[in-house]
Structures are given as C-alpha cells and as structure tokens.
Amino acid sequence: MFARATSFALRGLRSSLKTPVRGLATRSSIQASHKFSTAFLGAAAVGTCAYLYTLSPNQLIQNEAAPLSGIKGTNSERTFIAVKPDGVQRGLVGEIISRFEKRGYKLVAMKVIVPSKALAKEHYADLSTKPFFGGLVEYMTNGQAPVVAMVWEGLDVIKQGRAMIGATNPLDANAGSIRGDHCISVGRNIIHGSDSYESATKEISLWFGKPGEIVNWTSALGGWIFANN
Ligand code: DAT
Ligand code: MG
C-alpha cells in the first residue's frame, strides 16, 4: 500500500511538471493543476504514512496515554520501583519481582542501570539537605552493583507498593513486608518505591522518559485479577 501510494504520488508529480504552460485556464493547464493538487495530496499522505511508520507502536500508544504514571485510582496507575545496589548484590531481584507479580501487578518497564550522579541527585532532590545525602548518592551510583529500575502498573499500585515495601527504617518495617523480611539497616534498605502519584510521575519520567521505554500490554489474566462483579 505504501509503495503504491508513493508511485502514484510520484507519477502525478512528474506529469504535472511535464505539462507546458499555455496561457490562462486552458484545458491542459486545468488538468495540470488537478494533477499537481493530487500529487501534492499524495505526497502529503505518503509523508504522514512514512512518519507514522517510523514511530514504534508503543510510541503511538504512549502519545495517546496522558501521563506516564497512568490515571490515578484506575487499573492504569503506575509506580516507579527500583531494586537498589544492595538488593541486586544480595540476589533479591527475583524475590521482589515475584511479590509484585503474585499480587497481580503488571511489569511495564525494566532496566539494569548504573545511574549517573545527576540522575541520582535529581531522584533524591527532596533529601539534598540531609546529612546522609552524599553517601546515599555515592552508594546508588558507584557501580559496585547496578540498580534494577522498573515501572509497575495496576489498581492502587503506588500505595500498595509502599505497603509491600515497608517502612524506610527496616527495623520499623512490618514482618511480611519486603524490608521487614530482607534487611535491617536504613542505609541499605534494598528497594525504592514512589510515595505519591506526583513522585511516581516525576520518577517514571526521570528513569523511563525516552519514547518506547514503557510497554503497554494487555494481561491475559486481567479478568482473573480484577472484577467488580
Ligand atoms: P523511602 O525510601 O522509604 O521513600 P525516604 O524517601 O525518606 O525513604 O529516603 C530515601 C532513602 O534515603 C531511604 O530509602 C534510605 C535513605 N535514608 C533515609 N533516611 C535515612 C537516614 N536517617 N539515614 C541514612 N539513610 C537514610
Ligand atoms: Mg522516598
């Protein structure tokens, strides 16, 4: 279809250019002007098709979906979850993914990354005046282990994600939560999760802001995970 449209547009353009000018509104000049309009429209259509073709399907979907953090309070709500370098070193990536999957949430983006200092500082910008800020940025960025950054999607995922993670200080975290079960020190608390819709919006665009990094997909289990009956 694309090839046929291209050849049609080029044929029209060629013949319109070949037609000589013979005074005002002669039959052939009207024909030429029709051909030229057709060619112009054809070329515009081809250009639009070519542009759309260069976009991945994911970009097309993302352009339709409003914020990267989805719509708050719906099944499209999203949160930013990161397994920190200590969680990666300790082999807890699978355990953490498994908890979110088993709860019924959907993984829509993931990458293994050693963040730049600028990224870590921006991510933790609200803590920049704290005495532990320098050490926190150093431990997140020194490359001794990467961060596994993810976006999870589903109903109430921001608040539920925080509950699943547990209190900032693992000694205060409930048993059964990720921190309550797997760590004991605030400086090595293995996981990050967005604490509000606004934070999720900021963090997802910071870590997954490039087009195509987040995948919209439909879970075949959706109807088995969510229903109002
Ligand atoms: P959370 O990660 O639960 O959202 P936060 O945003 O208050 O907690 O802090 C970000 C991280 O900074 C936290 O996960 C670990 C570190 N941190 C917080 N308080 C700290 C403290 N008193 N000493 C050392 N590190 C701390
Ligand atoms: Mg926080």
Side-chain angles (χ1 to χ4, degrees):
M1 193 204 96
F2 183 73
R4 262 174 55 194
T6 310
S7 108
F8 176 74
L10 288 177
R11 231 184 305 142
L13 195 58
R14 211 180 304 131
S15 65
S16 73
L17 290 174
K18 264 198 257 166
T19 309
V21 178
R22 284 189 203 133
L24 285 176
T26 61
R27 206 163 147 194
S28 60
S29 75
I30 292 169
Q31 273 175 350
S33 121
H34 277 173
K35 278 182 185 169
F36 190 80
S37 309
T38 313
F40 181 77
L41 289 175
V46 168
T48 308
C49 287
Y51 172 70
L52 292 176
Y53 187 74
T54 62
L55 296 177
S56 71
N58 184 41
Q59 278 172 286
L60 292 174
I61 293 166
Q62 274 198 357
N63 288 343
E64 286 163 21
L68 292 180
S69 46
I71 310 293
K72 189 179 179 179
T74 71
N75 282 322
S76 75
E77 183 177 302
R78 290 173 178 162
T79 193
F80 174 71
I81 299 290
V83 184
K84 296 178 183 177
D86 45 329
V88 177
Q89 276 289 359
R90 294 182 50 205
L92 293 168
V93 175
E95 161 74 15
I96 288 165
I97 289 177
S98 183
R99 287 193 182 212
F100 280 84
E101 274 187 333
K102 284 178 185 166
R103 185 79 192 275
Y105 289 123
K106 188 165 68 175
L107 183 60
V108 294
M110 180 161 82
K111 66 174 133 185
V112 177
I113 177 177
V114 176
S116 65
K117 290 248 185 302
L119 173 55
K121 282 180 179 171
E122 180 57 32
H123 174 80
Y124 282 126
D126 58 329
L127 300 173
S128 61
T129 58
K130 301 284 183 191
F132 56 82
F133 182 71
L136 175 63
V137 170
E138 158 65 16
Y139 128 82
M140 290 288 287
T141 60
N142 68 20
Q144 289 175 16
V147 168
V148 174
M150 296 176 270
V151 179
W152 286 88
E153 181 181 293
L155 192 64
D156 207 27
V157 69
I158 298 170
K159 192 170 114 208
Q160 297 304 318
R162 288 291 293 191
M164 289 163 69
I165 287 170
T168 302
N169 185 339
L171 298 182
D172 297 330
N174 292 331
S177 67
I178 292 168
R179 285 172 177 161
D181 284 354
H182 294 292
C183 49
I184 50 173
S185 169
V186 72
R188 295 292 182 269
N189 62 5
I190 72 170
I191 182 169
H192 167 85
S194 308
D195 62 7
S196 66
Y197 182 74
E198 291 67 33
S199 303
T201 306
K202 173 194 159 182
E203 292 165 3
I204 293 171
S205 59
L206 199 56
W207 293 78
F208 292 98
K210 289 190 202 131
E213 288 195 294
I214 300 175
V215 178
N216 272 301
W217 59 283
T218 304
S219 169
L221 295 178
W224 296 102
I225 289 167
F226 180 83
N228 277 326
N229 290 344

